[in-house]
Amino acid sequence: NAGVIQTPRHKVTGKGQEATLWCEPISGHSAVFWYRQTIVQGLEFLTYFRNQAPIDDSGMPKERFSAQMPNQSHSTLKIQSTQPQDSAVYLCASSPRLGASAETLYFGSGTRLTVL
Amino acid sequence: GEQVEQRPPHLSVPEGDSAVIICTYTDSATAYFYWYKQEPGAGLQLLMSVFSNVDRKEEQGLTVLLNKKDKQLSLNLTAAHPGDSAVYFCAVSVGGSGNKLIFGTGTLLSVKP
């Protein structure tokens, strides 16, 4: 079991460029979560899919950020017109949904996005 | 919504000593509690999870205590060693369909040899 795989590990973009981050969940897991981690804000929830359907995107900035899960083997987080304040580590996690309502998240190593 | 406070932000202990990290939460309906460890450049590694009907859970040198009356969750590392040096996060979930985890602010633990 390779765990949650995130690519790339590091991405540097210029201000105004687009960034696409990829996540491959653990095989058989039904949920995928995206979090953003910064020193100032800590771990912020962005969005969540279950069985590929979007469930909760309450943490996603309304502009420029979008996430998709076109199939059960990968999810993408896209940031259009990146800004320096988007610089962060973006973490993806998957969950097998053990039990009636527990979400136990298994995290990838993250993508460090740097916007110059 | 749920808010989670974690303390201390930094903790330094000699090897062999115990280290205690405490989180307080606000929502009495919170049902699931987690502790994660993050090493430099890595994602979060799940250490332990407990359901709200558990007051104490021990695994591999770690003890989690849950005080629902005071809405407090603690992690005790007994006999810490340098390999335990990392950032530790608590996380909580109210539970139910589609509930995300809310994380504490993290504790940087340094274990001095």
Side-chain angles (χ1 to χ4, degrees), chain A residues 15-101:
Chain A
K15 182 179 175 181
Q17 292 184 327
E18 181 178 289
T20 300
L21 313 180
W22 295 73
C23 173
E24 181 181 330
I26 294 172
S27 177
H29 282 195
S30 58
V32 168
F33 293 75
W34 285 95
Y35 281 81
R36 175 168 64 182
Q37 185 176 27
T38 60
I39 298 294
V40 174
Q41 298 294 334
L43 281 153
E44 299 176 280
F45 168 80
L46 294 176
T47 189
Y48 158 44
F49 295 86
R50 174 164 299 288
N51 297 322
Q52 300 172 232
I55 301 297
D56 181 353
D57 66 353
S58 59
M60 290 280 274
K62 298 307 177 190
E63 298 178 354
R64 302 187 296 106
F65 281 65
S66 62
Q68 294 183 329
M69 191 164 184
N71 56 61
Q72 63 185 8
S73 64
H74 88 273
S75 175
T76 58
L77 179 68
K78 183 180 293 185
I79 309 172
Q80 295 178 311
S81 186
T82 54
Q83 304 296 311
Q85 61 264 31
D86 299 331
S87 297
V89 176
Y90 290 82
L91 292 165
C92 175
S94 68
S95 170
R97 188 69 179 279
L98 299 174
S101 355

Side-chain angles (χ1 to χ4, degrees), chain A residues 9 33 35 37 43 45 48 50 55-56 58 91 97 100-110, chain B residues 32 34 36 38 41-46 49 89 93 95-105:
Chain A
R9 287 298 310 273
F33 293 75
Y35 281 81
Q37 185 176 27
L43 281 153
F45 168 80
Y48 158 44
R50 174 164 299 288
I55 301 297
D56 181 353
S58 59
L91 292 165
R97 188 69 179 279
S101 355
E103 297 283 9
T104 299
L105 274 58
Y106 296 85
F107 283 83
S109 299
Chain B
Y32 300 95
Y34 307 84
Y36 284 86
Q38 186 177 35
L44 279 72
Q45 173 193 351
L46 177 66
S49 60
F89 292 92
S93 172
S97 177
N99 274 279
K100 54 192 177 281
L101 268 61
I102 307 299
F103 283 86
T105 48

